[in-house]
Amino acid sequence: MTSTPWLTVLWLLPALGAIAIAALPATVDDRRRRWARGAGLAVAVATLGWSIAMTVAFRADSGARFDLTESHRWIPAIGARYELGLDGIGLVLVLLTTALIPLLLLAWRSDDDDSSVHRYIALTLAVEAMVLLSFVATDLLLFYLVFEAMLIPMYFLIGGWGELDRAVRARAAMKFLLYNLFGGLIMLAGVIGLYVLTVRASLGEDGRGTFGLTDLTAAIADGKIDVGGPAGIAICGALLFAFAVKAPVWPVHAWLPDAAVAGTPSTGVLMMAVMDKVGTFAMLRFVVELFGDTATKFAPWMSALAVVSIVYGLILAIAQTDLMRLITYTSISHFGFIVLGVFALTPQSQAGATLYMVNHGISTAALFLVAGFLVGRRGAADAPGGNRAIDGFGGVQRAAPVLSAVFLVAGLATLSLPGLAPFVSEFLVMIGSFGRYPVAAVLATVALVGSAVYILWTYQRMMGGPVTPRAEGIGDLRARERLVLFPLIAALLILGFWPRPALDAITPAVDHTLQSVSVAPPPPTPGTTSTVVPRQGGHR
């Protein structure tokens, strides 16, 4: 246990910043609005700086399951503790989150008469705080509370700001909330069921039960808790359902397209690139690692749903006429690749899935934000469907060459062009999944080729050809917009050619995760060997 509360400070910085900024009075005074923006950006940058310092202190090769751990009594009556710990999987997602939030705050611009700037910034920081806490919480009850609590500020972000009609935003926000609350209620039943099993096994202080991940994993491995029977399968399924809704995975994805496009582009990125990662992260942390062989019973079904998500997202993206919805459906497809990697249950596939979470966050942020900057111009506002209609543009590469180039690079990243970051993670998922589920891997690969259709066709229609009257008024990227987008493009290039630092942090955590799974490894890819030795004995 570390003497410096690295992980507590990590989430408290944005949480306290959110409270302080939310307390500011509503005003249309430009000076006060700038002050609120500056304060929010300062808090986000400070959180990023703290996460970088924490990364330096983190030891991936310590041999312990978690590093920088903290543990304190929280609710003794039920054995709940305030327990935090960091592994390589959580580390890369923490860095993704803290790096994106300053860019999202910088990208967002409000109307001149908007008196609620401070509330938008406070809600964004609140989401960041809860997401960060979810990545480091090692007590299941604590994780559940922040898993649900982050829905509230996101609900207000979706419904409160955006270019769509207020009634449309309100419906999208309510749809988002109802889907995720339903998933959370199912998860709560699973959390209670697992706690009852720990009470029967007399775990925790004075036999009162426990929610601690380390204690639960050890008890399951020693056979003190049987999660292989009907009760264990039901509990595992309940948790998995909630995480699939959050991810989201087909067919519980329907809330995402409306919610992602109803708010501002920054809110859409916060949702797809940051918050939704909590769902796929939890599949690794609380399904595969905790339930082990019980989770393998769900693996074929989840892999099948992942392939459906990949193909479904591809087909719906091709059919879109709305630019922002097109990008949203590509995210559904990409989440399918992540879930396939998680449930292929091989070191390569899970390392690829974790890296995919990071790379998808970067590429989606770049593409969604540059699209947001584009549609924010008014040159195509009279087109059918408004200024988001793909057919409302044409010749943008001549009117705005830098914007067009950034759009192209971000688009090529989403189709995993070699040399850009998503290629490495997608390649790892494919080679790791092929030995376990060859049909799923082949179908996913074919769908990947098909993704070139919607990206290149969209680019051709919007950016190519002569400058149309509707595109004449489109200016190129401004200094602020370049400051937002260029770091994302740089990250796509760096991780595309040098993913080793991220993989060095991820691999030990993946090895720990797979130690609870005793399925036979698939035939090794020529020239590679598995680094995971399945655990023997126990309830398995």
Side-chain angles (χ1 to χ4, degrees), residues 13-25:
L13 274 174
L16 295 177
I19 294 172
I21 294 173
L24 296 174

Side-chain angles (χ1 to χ4, degrees), residues 188-259:
L188 178 60
V191 171
I192 294 173
L194 187 58
Y195 175 73
V196 169
L197 294 182
T198 68
V199 172
R200 291 177 179 175
S202 299
L203 299 180
E205 298 179 5
D206 301 324
R208 293 179 177 176
T210 182
F211 296 94
L213 178 64
T214 302
D215 293 338
L216 288 169
T217 304
I220 292 172
D222 294 340
K224 296 179 181 178
I225 298 178
D226 180 17
V227 294
I233 294 174
I235 294 169
C236 180
L239 299 184
L240 185 55
F241 178 83
F243 303 151
V245 172
K246 180 83 80 177
V249 179
W250 185 92
V252 289
H253 69 286
W255 60 268
L256 180 63
D258 292 336

Side-chain angles (χ1 to χ4, degrees), residues 258-426:
D258 292 336
V261 304
T264 68
S266 289
T267 298
V269 173
L270 182 64
M271 182 187 308
M272 293 185 292
V274 176
M275 190 197 74
D276 289 352
K277 298 300 187 301
V278 176
T280 47
F281 164 81
M283 291 178 185
L284 283 168
R285 173 65 53 82
F286 295 106
V287 174
V288 175
E289 180 173 356
L290 188 58
F291 287 89
D293 289 351
T294 304
T296 65
K297 295 181 172 65
F298 292 91
W301 300 100
M302 290 304 300
S303 298
L305 292 179
V307 173
V308 173
S309 295
I310 293 169
V311 176
Y312 173 87
L314 164 67
I315 295 173
L316 268 292
I318 294 174
Q320 293 306 305
T321 58
D322 182 310
L323 177 61
M324 308 307 280
R325 279 187 173 271
L326 182 151
I327 300 172
T328 302
Y329 278 108
T330 68
S331 281
I332 294 175
S333 184
H334 289 303
F335 273 108
F337 280 101
I338 296 172
V339 173
L340 177 61
V342 169
F343 286 95
L345 302 174
T346 66
Q348 295 91 347
S349 70
Q350 291 200 347
T354 304
L355 186 61
Y356 209 137
M357 295 184 214
V358 177
N359 293 338
H360 170 264
I362 299 170
S363 61
T364 295
L367 188 58
F368 210 74
L369 288 177
V370 71
F373 293 149
L374 177 60
V375 303
R377 274 74 167 159
R378 299 301 177 182
D382 59 340
N387 59 330
R388 302 191 321 191
I390 295 174
D391 292 338
F393 297 89
V396 174
Q397 64 184 3
R398 298 188 181 185
V402 178
L403 186 152
S404 178
V406 172
F407 187 94
L408 178 60
V409 174
L412 293 176
T414 64
L415 61 85
S416 300
L417 183 75
L420 297 174
F423 170 77
V424 179
S425 47
E426 208 155 83

